[in-house]
Amino acid sequence: MQPPAFVQAEESLAVAARKLQHDNIGCLPVCQGERVIGMLTDRDIAMRGVADGRNASQMSVMEAMSRDPLTCFADDSVEQAAILMTQGHVQRLAVLDRKTQRLIGVISVSDVGGSQTEPRHYEVTFFKKMSDHYGHSQHAEVMRISIVHGSKDEAIAVAMRQFEQVKQVNSWNQLADGYDVTTIHHDEQGVVVDEHELTSEREARIKQRAYELWEQAGAPAGQDKEYWHKAAAELDDQDRAEE
């Protein structure tokens, strides 16, 4: 592993950008004191700071970072770290001391002699349906959450939980009508590709319930359709009962 380059959550995006440039890296662990609470990428700065017209000197790292980062421990094997990066589609891991949970280093794909052909992360944008002056329906963003590891379904489930925690509601659809998912990865030429998936409220509710049922059953492989249909039937019954 390498000595840890990191940024504190309360620091500005401008400070973080200078650290990324100085160390010639694409992401930084975000700490609150000595505890790792997130990961900040150059794309987070571009999409949540520059693209949204925010002042990088006034916007904090915490506002732009991705939460729940993948980490490993200093006494884990190199193979374990490599597997984590491969399965999580990430290029770097924060390395923690197992006893203190303190950040002590960073390890990258190049450090373990591997390569990631298609790193991915996901942006889940929760929205409310609004009508403009002409009566046209539009999506007004309520919250955008970036997830840097796991599958798309896992990222959606994590984003839903984070939305509910931040907004302090029991269910995300109390405040949002649906969500859109953007999958971000690199093509064979290394060009960043954004793939957008628009999700209706019904599909979103089914997906969340199907994932909950799947987790409760012990995450069995190859039964996605079975849990989708079970969740759809359960929610449709609930809706009919409420009519």
Side-chain angles (χ1 to χ4, degrees):
M1 69 181 182
Q2 304 296 321
F6 64 95
V7 65
Q8 289 290 332
E10 66 274 9
E11 293 188 271
S12 70
L13 287 190
V15 170
R18 288 193 291 271
K19 289 186 178 181
L20 289 171
Q21 183 182 43
H22 179 269
D23 293 328
N24 192 29
I25 53 179
C27 64
L28 287 167
V30 179
C31 294
Q32 206 160 46
E34 295 183 337
R35 185 170 63 91
V36 177
I37 63 169
M39 191 70 75
L40 182 77
T41 68
D42 48 8
R43 180 179 175 81
D44 291 331
I45 295 175
M47 294 299 294
R48 299 176 185 174
V50 178
D52 288 346
R54 300 287 297 276
N55 187 324
S57 296
Q58 296 178 358
M59 186 176 181
S60 72
V61 167
M62 182 176 283
E63 294 178 79
M65 71 180 187
S66 299
R67 299 173 184 271
D68 297 327
L70 278 178
T71 61
C72 66
F73 294 109
D75 56 359
D76 286 339
S77 68
V78 170
E79 289 78 11
Q80 287 174 301
I83 290 170
L84 270 176
M85 285 187 278
T86 298
Q87 292 179 341
H89 303 292
V90 297
Q91 298 287 312
R92 294 162 68 85
L93 292 175
V95 183
L96 310 181
D97 178 86
R98 190 179 293 275
K99 290 183 179 180
T100 66
Q101 302 292 305
R102 182 173 59 87
L103 176 68
I104 58 174
V106 174
I107 191 167
S108 69
V109 169
S110 59
D111 292 330
V112 301
S115 63
Q116 283 278 26
T117 56
E118 194 181 12
R120 292 172 179 260
H121 75 267
Y122 305 92
E123 287 184 350
V124 182
T125 304
F126 295 90
F127 63 82
K128 288 286 290 183
K129 291 180 180 178
M130 308 288 286
S131 296
D132 61 19
H133 296 298
Y134 302 98
H136 300 148
S137 179
Q138 295 182 342
H139 288 181
E141 181 177 318
V142 177
M143 177 180 287
R144 183 187 304 170
I145 298 173
S146 181
I147 307 295
V148 296
H149 57 83
S151 68
K152 180 164 66 177
D153 285 344
E154 290 169 339
I156 292 169
V158 170
M160 287 175 174
R161 289 196 291 270
Q162 288 188 11
F163 182 96
E164 290 162 358
Q165 289 170 1
V166 172
K167 296 295 186 180
Q168 298 183 339
V169 293
N170 294 324
S171 178
W172 64 270
N173 54 21
Q174 291 178 241
L175 298 178
D177 293 323
Y179 59 82
D180 300 331
V181 182
T182 303
T183 303
I184 301 129
H185 64 97
H186 294 80
D187 63 16
E188 295 178 355
Q189 286 72 45
V191 177
V192 176
V193 178
D194 292 359
E195 297 176 357
H196 299 280
E197 175 188 340
L198 305 181
T199 309
S200 70
E201 180 183 3
R202 179 177 181 275
E203 289 172 324
R205 292 173 62 211
I206 292 173
K207 184 172 288 189
Q208 180 181 19
R209 183 55 183 155
Y211 188 81
E212 291 171 353
L213 293 172
W214 176 77
E215 278 191 321
Q216 292 168 8
Q223 298 184 31
D224 295 359
K225 290 184 178 179
E226 176 184 335
Y227 286 100
W228 177 275
H229 292 310
K230 185 180 294 186
E234 179 182 308
L235 292 174
D236 287 345
D237 287 344
Q238 288 180 7
D239 290 343
R240 282 193 290 271
E242 292 173 0
E243 290 178 356

